[in-house]
Each structure stands twice: as structure tokens, then as C-alpha cells.
Amino acid sequence: DLWESGAVKNIESNDEALEIIKSGKEAIVAVYAPWCQFCQGMEEEFAKYAESAGVPVYKFRGDEERDFVSANLNTASFPTVNFIKSDGSVVKYDSEARSAEDFAAFEKSMN
């Protein structure tokens, strides 16, 4: 699996994902598949970003929950990184630039 240690927290279930979306708190959620080469390629940089992020950073394995992630987390392909706003809206990071700095700039642009 990806991000097995460090600052990226695992979301265990669809219900837990919905709790985070509806929590009234901001967060970053990466929807991924462990076999996806692009997910593997961003693993180190996303982990680095999570260490200094201003919001909680989560991972959610989406390949086994495709209907759910499509309906709730803007996901048509992997990886999909989303910013969860305090009002529960889910904003997709729409770039293939995946450095720690890129993710930090995305987070900053949401505030």
C-alpha cells in the first residue's frame, strides 16, 4: 500500500470519508489506487507535503469504491487530490504537477 507511515492518515470506510466531508473542517484527501503508477510516483512528495500541511491530510483507496468516489470525491481517475472546504464542498486539484510545493500552493489557494 502507499503512505503506510507518516503524516498521511488513512480513511477506512465510505462512512468515515463522509464524516470528514461533513465535519465542518478543512482537509485534503488523496483518492488513490496502490497499483497506479502515478499514485506511486507522487507518494514521496505527498508525504512530504502532509508533514507541514496546514490541514489534516488523508488517503482513501478508491479503486475498490469507484461509485462512491465518483459520486462524493470528484474521482474519475487516480490519483485525485481534493480540498474539503468547511462547508462540505469538495474541490478537485486540477493539475498534474505533484510536488510538495504544488500541493501546498493548492491548499493556500483554497483559503
Side-chain angles (χ1 to χ4, degrees):
D1 202 10
L2 304 180
W3 304 293
E4 293 190 87
S5 62
V8 180
K9 302 174 183 92
N10 188 40
I11 297 174
E12 300 282 348
S13 67
N14 294 352
D15 287 343
E16 188 180 346
L18 289 173
E19 283 174 25
I20 290 165
I21 293 167
K22 295 174 181 173
S23 71
K25 297 175 184 162
E26 295 178 340
I28 293 274
V29 177
V31 183
Y32 75 102
W35 46 262
C36 163
Q37 67 181 11
F38 300 107
C39 301
Q40 294 164 8
M42 73 175 227
E43 182 175 18
E44 189 175 317
E45 286 293 313
F46 193 70
K48 188 171 138 189
Y49 158 67
E51 289 171 12
S52 61
V55 298
V57 178
Y58 296 94
K59 65 174 183 171
F60 185 65
R61 183 170 176 175
D63 59 325
E64 298 172 337
E65 301 291 348
R66 288 184 186 258
D67 291 342
F68 177 82
V69 297
S70 174
N72 296 282
L73 289 165
N74 296 321
T75 304
S77 60
F78 306 111
T80 296
V81 175
N82 290 295
F83 187 90
I84 311 298
K85 292 186 163 190
S86 57
D87 66 3
S89 57
V90 180
V91 181
K92 182 177 179 178
Y93 174 63
D94 211 7
S95 172
E96 292 187 12
R98 298 186 181 119
S99 73
E101 293 77 19
D102 294 320
F103 295 126
F106 173 59
E107 176 194 327
K108 190 174 182 187
S109 75
M110 292 291 105
N111 293 317

